[in-house]
Amino acid sequence: ETGVTQSPTHLIKTRGQQVTLRCSSQSGHNTVSWYQQALGQGPQFIFQYYREEENGRGNFPPRFSGLQFPNYSSELNVNALELDDSALYLCASSSDRARVFYMEQFFGPGTRLTVL
Amino acid sequence: AQTVTQSQPEMSVQEAETVTLSCTYDTSESDYYLFWYKQPPSRQMILVIRQEAYKQQNATENRFSVNFQKAAKSFSLKISDSQLGDAAMYFCAYRSPIGYGQNFVFGPGTRLSVLP
């Protein structure tokens, strides 16, 4: 069973640029959630994708957008990068076939984004 | 909206001793799930233990156990026989079972150091 993977591991961008982060869900999982974890803080929910549609969103502006593909992998796109976007971005996958829908989330190692 | 509070930014414990990490939460829901996640340095977040609110019995996973006090909205984690590998950030998380798009609400975390 393949776990959740994310790419790239690290990324450095400058203010105003755009970035795309990628996530491959665990085998058999059809739901992907994205979180932003600022240094020294707990993860904050950005949004969730279920069967290729956005299925819930946290308190993040529209310049944070995403996609989910037919193979359930996902992308997080951030436009017009700001210094405060510097953080660890975590992807987590889950399955509606689990005993309790979305009760279990399995996290990837994260992408460390630095905005200069 | 639900909130999760961890009042201990840092804790330390001697190897082989017992330590308790505190977590309180605020919710108006009667049914929900609570979790403790562990995030080792530069490594991905992994589930330590979970508790369903409708279950009165406290969850236990080997050396990890919880003290769930629903009326007090308290969910502490006890680590027995602490090991060096237990050193990590520990996050308490809340999840509502209602509807889609509901995701984890994390606390700010407690950094646990294990002293040899």
Side-chain angles (χ1 to χ4, degrees), chain B residues 15-114:
Chain B
E15 197 175 3
E17 296 294 308
T18 296
V19 65
T20 299
L21 308 183
S22 301
C23 172
T24 58
Y25 57 93
D26 186 29
T27 183
S28 59
E29 297 173 325
S30 59
D31 194 19
Y32 46 85
Y33 303 99
L34 297 166
F35 304 80
W36 279 98
Y37 273 85
K38 169 185 177 181
Q39 189 176 41
S42 301
R43 293 180 63 184
Q44 64 201 82
M45 198 165 312
I46 57 175
L47 178 66
V48 174
I49 198 167
R50 66 173 180 262
Q51 174 83 39
E52 290 105 322
Y54 63 86
K55 291 186 177 179
Q56 293 185 340
Q57 186 172 6
N58 289 323
T60 299
E61 290 285 344
N62 300 314
R63 298 183 294 107
F64 299 88
S65 62
V66 298
N67 183 4
F68 173 49
Q69 302 289 328
K70 190 172 184 179
K73 297 180 182 176
S74 171
F75 183 61
S76 61
L77 174 69
K78 186 172 81 171
I79 306 174
S80 304
D81 186 25
S82 296
Q83 301 175 359
L84 296 177
D86 294 333
M89 283 292 291
Y90 285 82
F91 293 98
C92 178
Y94 172 103
R95 185 160 206 178
S96 167
I98 300 172
Y100 295 139
Q102 299 296 321
N103 280 271
F104 290 95
V105 177
F106 285 89
T110 295
R111 183 176 301 281
L112 177 66
S113 301
V114 181

Side-chain angles (χ1 to χ4, degrees), chain A residues 1-38:
Chain A
E1 186 177 81
T2 306
V4 179
T5 60
Q6 292 185 244
S7 63
T9 306
H10 296 86
L11 202 53
I12 299 175
K13 292 286 189 178
T14 56
R15 196 169 43 183
Q17 285 189 311
Q18 178 266 343
V19 68
T20 297
L21 310 182
R22 295 177 175 83
C23 170
S24 292
S25 60
Q26 183 162 314
S27 177
H29 287 186
N30 55 11
T31 304
V32 172
S33 301
W34 286 92
Y35 295 83
Q36 180 194 66
Q37 186 179 13

Side-chain angles (χ1 to χ4, degrees), chain A residues 2-5 22-32 34 49-53 67-75 91 93-94 97:
Chain A
T2 306
V4 179
T5 60
R22 295 177 175 83
C23 170
S24 292
S25 60
Q26 183 162 314
S27 177
H29 287 186
N30 55 11
T31 304
V32 172
W34 286 92
Y49 277 84
Y50 172 64
R51 295 185 177 179
E52 303 180 54
E53 293 192 1
L67 284 173
Q68 187 178 33
F69 300 98
N71 66 355
Y72 303 128
S73 65
S74 177
E75 286 183 354
C91 164
S93 75
S94 54
R97 291 182 289 276

Side-chain angles (χ1 to χ4, degrees), chain A residues 34-79:
Chain A
W34 286 92
Y35 295 83
Q36 180 194 66
Q37 186 179 13
L39 195 62
Q41 297 182 22
Q44 301 290 317
F45 173 61
I46 302 175
F47 45 56
Q48 180 185 81
Y49 277 84
Y50 172 64
R51 295 185 177 179
E52 303 180 54
E53 293 192 1
E54 188 177 289
N55 189 41
R57 189 178 184 93
N59 189 27
F60 280 81
R63 59 189 186 85
F64 285 78
S65 63
L67 284 173
Q68 187 178 33
F69 300 98
N71 66 355
Y72 303 128
S73 65
S74 177
E75 286 183 354
L76 164 65
N77 299 288
V78 187
N79 294 321

